[in-house]
Amino acid sequence: MADTAGSRARNRYTVEQRRAEILNATRDVVLRLGFGGTRVRDVADELGVSNGLIHYHFASKDELLAETLRFAANDDIARLEEAVDTARPALERFDRMLRNYLPGPGDVSWRLWIDAWGEALRNENLKEISQELDEAWVALLERVIRDGVHEGAFTCENPRASAWRIAALMDGLGLQVVLHRSTMSRTQMLEHARTLAAIELGLERKAFPARR
Amino acid sequence: MADTAGSRARNRYTVEQRRAEILNATRDVVLRLGFGGTRVRDVADELGVSNGLIHYHFASKDELLAETLRFAANDDIARLEEAVDTARPALERFDRMLRNYLPGPGDVSWRLWIDAWGEALRNENLKEISQELDEAWVALLERVIRDGVHEGAFTCENPRASAWRIAALMDGLGLQVVLHRSTMSRTQMLEHARTLAAIELGLERKAFPARR
DNA sequence: TCCGTTACTGACTCTCGAGTCAGTAACGCT
DNA sequence: AGCGTTACTGACTCGAGAGTCAGTAACGGA
């Protein structure tokens, strides 16, 4: 009675495991085909299960896509927070955020976000989720700046405004790199981000590490 | 013989006029429904013509959407160039670009662009067009910076890099305002853009006009 | 050992939308 | 006036995809 679901979990999937597995697969499919281009069938095929199973766990395709976005968002934020929590001093912590947030070689989640922005124009669920992630990200950036100021590593008059500017710059840069790779390299992108950051935090440009 | 098409144009549409009219209507529809959500039928209804007429002028829906994007892009660039050509001195010219590029109250074309970015992830035609617009816009910004430096109004070491940073920041800001209006007002957005611009161009922040 | 429940199947329905096509009417040209 | 051309119509086809549902097999509990 204490754990009715758990007792079945030994050799079978629980509902929660299955849902997570489906969300995971959906993310992969959406990365290939986009929100608009993803069919329920594609997700089923990805897992080698039946079409009907997806509808068994998710009431509609819309719900599936919205939950997939939230799932991916939580992942991204968790990854960033982890990067922040483990690094010091302040400058390394900050730079690690930049490197983690900006799109990297194997990075795919940017594609998801760019796609989600477009979809969010017409879908309230997605709009809400993308806004949540955005605010969480700016808040994290602001926190790292404030901590740095506290430690005496940075000088910054208005951490909130600086965080917004840096976040906006990085969104714009990431967009360029992911969408039109030819126009800008990751190196240049990092260079731009660090240049603005140095200005905003009252540092010398060369204070930043050369790491990519 | 000199003008076979023109002779019919007196009381009838030429093919070119019709195409332009359809592209115009398509843009309006796409703004409401997005690239993914626009049906050929919606465009026909917008003009009060038949479904078949759209296919008479455009081979496929894909072609229609791609040409619509190009049509809108040309419009946007022309508007920016006009703003630049007529304004002086350099600072007013630059500020006018900012005000014109950033999303305004009645501005809708941003919605089109955000949507196009997402679509471009999977559509080579749209990707190419959005890249063209982007490069034209950065080139224009760079030109205005160089001219300002020439006139002695600005100080800027690397106009190309500064143009990229300002452009990226503005893309990021515009995205915020259009997508999550609550998180940032146009006033704040302009404030952020001018703050970065002042830094990049070696100016005092208060050198900029207060115009919105 | 039987039985109710639950996770799952896959064929089906039903809607929707892109593209087609036979037909039409107005035009300009001869 | 007669004729070929052209812009346009709207009913149709055809494929595709979301969601349904009757059926099934494995489970745990009584």
Side-chain angles (χ1 to χ4, degrees):
Chain A
M1 183 197 183
D3 186 12
T4 39
S7 61
R8 183 162 47 250
R10 262 164 233 136
N11 43 5
R12 270 264 201 160
Y13 281 25
T14 49
V15 168
E16 271 318 302
Q17 280 174 319
R18 214 21 150 185
R19 280 179 65 96
E21 197 186 35
I22 292 173
L23 290 174
N24 218 17
T26 306
R27 174 173 54 183
D28 293 346
V29 174
V30 170
L31 283 166
R32 285 203 309 274
L33 308 176
F35 284 99
T38 295
R39 295 162 302 163
V40 173
R41 187 55 169 287
D42 298 318
V43 177
D45 288 353
E46 181 83 5
L47 287 170
V49 297
S50 76
N51 183 5
L53 182 65
I54 311 299
H55 284 104
Y56 180 78
H57 287 283
F58 296 89
S60 68
K61 188 187 165 185
D62 233 55
E63 184 192 314
L64 173 65
L65 294 181
E67 294 215 25
T68 297
L69 188 64
R70 173 156 279 132
F71 178 78
N74 290 342
D75 232 51
D76 281 7
I77 280 289
R79 219 190 55 234
L80 281 172
E81 278 176 345
E82 198 244 313
V84 167
D85 288 345
T86 61
R88 59 206 63 241
L91 184 62
E92 167 58 19
R93 199 183 308 143
F94 186 89
D95 198 65
R96 197 140 149 194
M97 281 198 83
L98 298 192
R99 297 198 308 267
N100 266 281
Y101 186 75
L102 289 172
D107 191 346
V108 283
S109 63
W110 268 84
R111 292 175 62 87
L112 202 81
W113 290 106
I114 295 172
D115 202 9
W117 293 336
E119 217 64 31
L121 289 171
R122 274 150 279 113
N123 181 325
E124 276 304 316
N125 279 332
L126 298 192
K127 177 184 281 193
E128 205 181 300
I129 296 166
S130 95
Q131 183 160 0
E132 274 172 35
L133 178 83
D134 232 37
E135 279 167 5
W137 150 242
V138 174
L140 189 60
L141 203 49
E142 186 187 345
R143 203 185 88 205
V144 173
I145 295 175
R146 281 191 196 284
D147 288 352
V149 171
H150 233 90
E151 291 179 26
F154 306 151
T155 317
C156 181
E157 270 183 36
N158 187 341
R160 181 154 192 79
S162 288
W164 271 112
R165 276 191 293 275
I166 294 169
L169 179 81
M170 287 168 78
D171 281 345
L173 292 174
L175 189 62
Q176 280 303 320
V177 170
V178 173
L179 213 55
H180 322 131
R181 190 162 300 269
S182 64
T183 58
M184 198 187 295
S185 68
R186 173 164 164 99
T187 313
Q188 285 173 292
M189 180 180 65
L190 259 174
E191 168 72 24
H192 287 315
R194 286 172 175 153
T195 298
L196 177 65
I199 293 165
E200 297 282 355
L201 305 179
L203 302 171
E204 296 274 309
R205 170 62 188 85
K206 43 181 172 279
F208 279 88
R211 284 195 55 190
R212 320 182 53 204
Chain B
M1 185 202 183
D3 185 12
T4 39
S7 63
R8 184 164 47 252
R10 263 163 233 136
N11 42 7
R12 270 267 201 157
Y13 282 25
T14 51
V15 168
E16 271 320 300
Q17 281 174 318
R18 220 8 156 191
R19 280 179 64 97
E21 197 186 35
I22 292 173
L23 290 174
N24 218 17
T26 306
R27 173 173 54 184
D28 293 346
V29 174
V30 170
L31 283 167
R32 284 203 309 273
L33 308 176
F35 283 100
T38 295
R39 294 163 304 164
V40 173
R41 186 56 167 288
D42 298 317
V43 177
D45 287 353
E46 180 84 4
L47 286 170
V49 298
S50 76
N51 183 4
L53 182 65
I54 310 299
H55 282 104
Y56 181 77
H57 287 284
F58 296 88
S60 69
K61 188 187 166 186
D62 233 54
E63 184 192 313
L64 174 65
L65 294 181
E67 294 215 25
T68 298
L69 188 65
R70 175 156 278 132
F71 179 78
N74 289 342
D75 233 53
D76 282 7
I77 280 287
R79 218 189 57 234
L80 282 172
E81 278 177 344
E82 199 244 314
V84 167
D85 287 345
T86 61
R88 60 205 63 240
L91 183 62
E92 166 59 18
R93 201 184 306 143
F94 186 89
D95 199 66
R96 197 139 149 194
M97 282 197 83
L98 297 192
R99 296 199 307 267
N100 266 280
Y101 186 75
L102 289 172
D107 191 345
V108 283
S109 65
W110 268 85
R111 293 175 61 85
L112 203 79
W113 290 107
I114 294 172
D115 202 10
W117 292 337
E119 217 62 32
L121 290 171
R122 274 151 278 115
N123 181 325
E124 275 305 316
N125 279 332
L126 297 191
K127 177 185 278 191
E128 204 181 301
I129 297 167
S130 94
Q131 185 160 0
E132 275 172 36
L133 179 84
D134 232 39
E135 278 167 5
W137 150 243
V138 175
L140 190 59
L141 203 49
E142 185 186 346
R143 203 184 89 205
V144 173
I145 295 176
R146 282 192 195 283
D147 288 353
V149 171
H150 233 91
E151 291 179 26
F154 306 152
T155 318
C156 180
E157 268 183 39
N158 186 341
R160 181 152 193 79
S162 289
W164 270 112
R165 276 191 294 273
I166 294 169
L169 179 81
M170 287 169 77
D171 280 346
L173 293 173
L175 190 62
Q176 279 303 320
V177 170
V178 173
L179 213 56
H180 322 134
R181 189 161 301 269
S182 64
T183 57
M184 199 189 293
S185 68
R186 174 164 163 98
T187 313
Q188 286 173 291
M189 179 180 64
L190 259 173
E191 167 72 22
H192 288 315
R194 286 171 175 154
T195 298
L196 176 64
I199 293 166
E200 296 282 355
L201 305 179
L203 302 171
E204 296 273 308
R205 170 63 189 84
K206 44 182 172 282
F208 279 88
R211 283 196 55 191
R212 321 183 52 207

